Amino acid sequence: MNYQPDSVTSITLSAIPLPLATPISDAKVFTGRQKPMTEVAMLFVEIGTAEGCSGIGFSYSKRAGGPAQYAHAKEIAEAALGEDPNDIEKIYTKLLWAGASVGRSGLATQALAAIDVALYDLKSKRAGLPLAKFLGAHRDSVRTYNTSGGFLHASIDEVKDRATQSIEQGIGGIKIKVGLPDSAEDIKRLDAIAEHVGGTPLMVDANQQWDRTTALRMGRVLDRYNLVWIEEPLDAHDFEGHARLTTALDTPIATGEMLSSVAEHRRLIETRACDIIQPDAPRVGGISQFMRLLALADEAALDVAPHFAMEIHAHLAASYPRETWVEHFDWLDPLFNERMEIADGRMIIPDRSGLGITLSEQARRWTTDTVTID
């Protein structure tokens, strides 16, 4: 059977602010660098083709940048019209050059990411395969940990209650936030949670709020807890500082979520600045770029724990040769008609084709701006 070319005929962009039930605070709030987060700005892309195929993708921004992502995507999306949707790398490059004057990382590629993800969703749907199977899965489930219950705005009792709920729901690990101005308070919270969860795998996340001296001192204290990792102990771009910590500490160092290009991640890998790399597909430009990054990580024998957006990252993590951790956030649940299944500490890869998600009516109601380019 000969292949019949298809073409992109429509691209619908939707700006959807996702309200959070409770304002969220991590260490950046307590050090005065940011305000509590009250919503996540979502950019959704729905692509249609001449042959009647469709795909959905998304990107996001926290606290700032959502309207700018939407505006940039609106400017460049026309470049994909008429292209064969199977030629994802070609389309990515064309879109990249359409917006080249604002660079090849950060907001520019985060806007492009939503289109790239939608193209992968479309292509795997056309093949009748879940995205993980389309990419080539190594497993049908991935280890998962809860991170949305351990924020610093919550009391110790609240964090303990949420940890109990997560474990009972089948979550395999618990992460809590640290990085308070008073490190003794961090240790107090960690002691309480570590005792409460017993042998359940435990991680901590400082959200870049320690300097090198504090990170080393705290790291030496944290070594006694047998943590799965210490996340973002330093500024995300302090590659040398992170590299020193990976050498000095027994506890693995995890970082990478705030980096917004493959080039930045390559430097992280080349300097051996982490034991566990935490890329974010929407932040680095989509699935095309994420898969390039995974190849580099695999060559360097690094573990991987993608950041946020589990609806995308579960599929990508399943395609990595080594066992991974995927972050479980329930924040995005209201946006979709489907739910990720959790059992025995693992997130099950959906058997639906593509990403396996469809936008809910609630998401449609939250939409503040939408445009179809055809």
Side-chain angles (χ1 to χ4, degrees):
M1 180 179 176
N2 294 328
Y3 169 66
Q4 298 298 316
D6 199 357
S7 62
V8 175
T9 55
S10 68
I11 302 172
T12 299
L13 310 175
S14 298
I16 305 178
L18 169 67
L20 300 178
T22 302
I24 302 298
S25 297
D26 57 26
K28 297 187 293 293
V29 173
F30 287 86
T31 56
R33 290 176 170 170
Q34 290 185 344
K35 295 180 179 179
M37 183 166 51
T38 58
E39 67 178 29
V40 180
M42 306 295 300
L43 168 62
F44 276 91
V45 170
E46 296 166 277
I47 293 178
T49 77
E51 294 297 317
C53 298
S54 63
I56 185 170
F58 66 87
S59 189
Y60 72 94
S61 186
K62 297 177 179 178
R63 293 186 174 87
Q69 280 189 15
Y70 179 78
H72 187 69
K74 187 176 177 180
E75 280 193 292
I76 65 171
E78 185 180 5
L81 293 178
E83 294 290 344
D84 188 327
N86 292 290
D87 299 333
I88 299 177
E89 290 280 355
K90 176 186 176 183
I91 295 172
Y92 184 91
T93 301
K94 191 175 182 182
L95 292 168
L96 193 66
W97 280 105
S101 64
V102 291
R104 300 187 182 187
S105 66
L107 187 147
T109 47
Q110 289 165 14
L112 195 159
I115 301 173
D116 185 83
V117 172
L119 288 169
Y120 269 94
D121 180 60
L122 188 156
K123 193 170 184 177
S124 51
K125 283 177 179 174
R126 184 196 293 272
L129 295 170
L131 178 60
K133 293 292 185 183
F134 178 79
L135 296 172
H138 286 269
R139 59 197 68 85
D140 294 324
S141 65
V142 291
R143 291 180 299 184
T144 188
Y145 68 98
N146 181 279
T147 196
S148 55
F151 279 84
L152 292 172
H153 64 271
S155 68
I156 290 176
D157 285 341
E158 289 172 326
V159 176
K160 288 164 71 173
D161 288 345
R162 184 61 186 270
T164 297
Q165 293 171 14
S166 296
I167 294 169
E168 290 175 348
Q169 291 166 1
I171 296 291
I174 300 296
K175 187 174 80 176
I176 69 167
K177 299 291 186 174
V178 293
L180 289 166
D182 181 0
S183 295
E185 184 63 25
D186 281 334
I187 298 303
K188 177 183 176 182
R189 292 171 68 87
L190 180 55
D191 280 338
I193 304 307
E195 180 181 5
H196 181 71
V197 302
T200 300
L202 186 62
M203 308 85 161
V204 299
D205 182 358
N207 287 109
Q208 309 178 76
Q209 296 310 292
W210 290 331
D211 57 31
R212 290 186 179 184
T213 298
T214 303
L216 182 58
R217 288 174 176 168
M218 283 295 291
R220 286 172 174 160
V221 173
L222 296 176
D223 269 345
R224 70 172 185 255
Y225 290 89
N226 194 31
L227 300 172
V228 180
W229 68 65
I230 300 170
E231 183 171 334
E232 288 196 315
L234 300 169
D235 183 278
H237 292 88
D238 186 359
F239 303 113
E240 180 182 347
H242 278 101
R244 290 182 182 180
L245 289 177
T246 63
T247 300
L249 301 176
D250 293 332
T251 307
I253 299 299
T255 191
E257 69 178 65
M258 295 304 297
L259 303 183
S260 59
S261 68
V262 173
E264 290 174 324
H265 280 278
R266 183 184 293 113
R267 188 175 173 198
L268 187 69
I269 292 168
E270 289 174 347
T271 55
R272 304 300 301 183
C274 66
D275 302 289
I276 302 163
I277 196 164
Q278 298 182 296
D280 183 318
R283 282 183 175 165
V284 300
I287 294 172
S288 297
Q289 300 306 295
F290 192 96
M291 297 307 290
R292 289 178 59 199
L293 202 161
L294 283 192
L296 296 174
D298 184 30
E299 185 177 350
L302 291 176
D303 288 334
V304 169
H307 169 256
F308 202 58
M310 63 183 180
E311 294 80 5
I312 299 172
H313 288 134
H315 291 274
L316 306 186
S319 74
Y320 193 61
R322 293 170 178 80
E323 271 280 16
T324 56
W325 284 96
V326 171
E327 199 166 22
H328 184 275
F329 268 96
D330 55 12
W331 294 0
L332 305 190
D333 281 357
L335 297 172
F336 306 117
N337 294 311
E338 302 79 12
R339 297 289 178 269
M340 301 298 291
E341 182 183 348
I342 307 296
D344 300 322
R346 304 182 70 86
M347 186 179 294
I348 312 303
I349 306 304
D351 57 8
R352 302 177 294 275
S353 63
L355 290 172
I357 57 173
T358 55
L359 276 178
S360 67
E361 287 303 314
Q362 178 62 75
R364 302 290 184 188
R365 288 193 292 271
W366 279 332
T367 300
T368 55
D369 203 353
T370 188
V371 62
T372 297
I373 299 164
D374 52 21

